[in-house]
Amino acid sequence: MSNPQQLRYSKEHEWLSAVEDGVATVGITEFAANALGDVVYAQLPEVGDTVTAGETCGELESTKSVSDLYSPVTGEVTASNQDVVDDPALVNSAPFESGWLFKVRIAEEPKDLLSADEYSEFSGN
């Protein structure tokens, strides 16, 4: 399993893309998607919602369990991936591509996000 080098990662297993015009994309890692099992339901934050770093902003339900979704940053949601709501399996099949979860205009970015190598060491993969 390879974590894309250009992304940053939280210890709650979310990834964050590079910021473009103040907006970044958020998703869960392949490690987290595999641990969850087949995702069958996604409840994502809605456009206009404010999310706070480290706090719950949605949930993913799999055939194994329900898992809270945590925001890796603080800001306002600018897009929510309706494709994932319609087809939650995208989280498993393409967690770093079409399985992204939401986009956020960042107000505050935590300093403890990990590089790909640091996340690989943290997650043991």
Side-chain angles (χ1 to χ4, degrees):
M1 180 176 338
S2 178
N3 296 305
Q5 292 292 318
Q6 74 275 18
L7 302 177
R8 286 171 289 156
Y9 302 85
S10 74
K11 290 185 176 179
E12 287 80 25
H13 307 287
E14 281 84 24
W15 58 261
L16 181 75
S17 72
V19 178
E20 292 184 31
D21 297 325
V23 176
T25 303
V26 175
I28 67 165
T29 65
E30 185 176 7
F31 175 82
N34 289 339
L36 273 172
D38 295 333
V39 177
V40 296
Y41 174 76
Q43 185 263 314
L44 305 177
E46 296 181 10
V47 172
D49 285 354
T50 298
V51 294
T52 302
E55 293 191 7
T56 303
C57 63
E59 70 179 30
L60 297 174
E61 183 177 328
S62 72
T63 54
K64 292 181 182 180
S65 67
V66 175
S67 180
D68 286 332
L69 173 63
Y70 296 91
S71 180
V73 294
T74 296
E76 181 181 342
V77 175
T78 62
S80 189
N81 191 347
Q82 187 62 42
D83 291 341
V84 166
V85 173
D86 295 341
D87 182 9
L90 288 171
V91 171
N92 298 104
S93 63
F96 296 115
E97 296 88 23
S98 58
W100 62 273
L101 302 177
F102 63 95
K103 296 184 183 212
V104 59
R105 181 168 306 285
I106 297 176
E108 183 180 335
E109 187 175 332
K111 304 296 183 218
D112 60 351
L113 293 176
L114 307 173
S115 69
D117 293 337
E118 290 167 334
Y119 178 74
S120 293
E121 186 176 316
F122 168 76
S123 62
N125 65 48

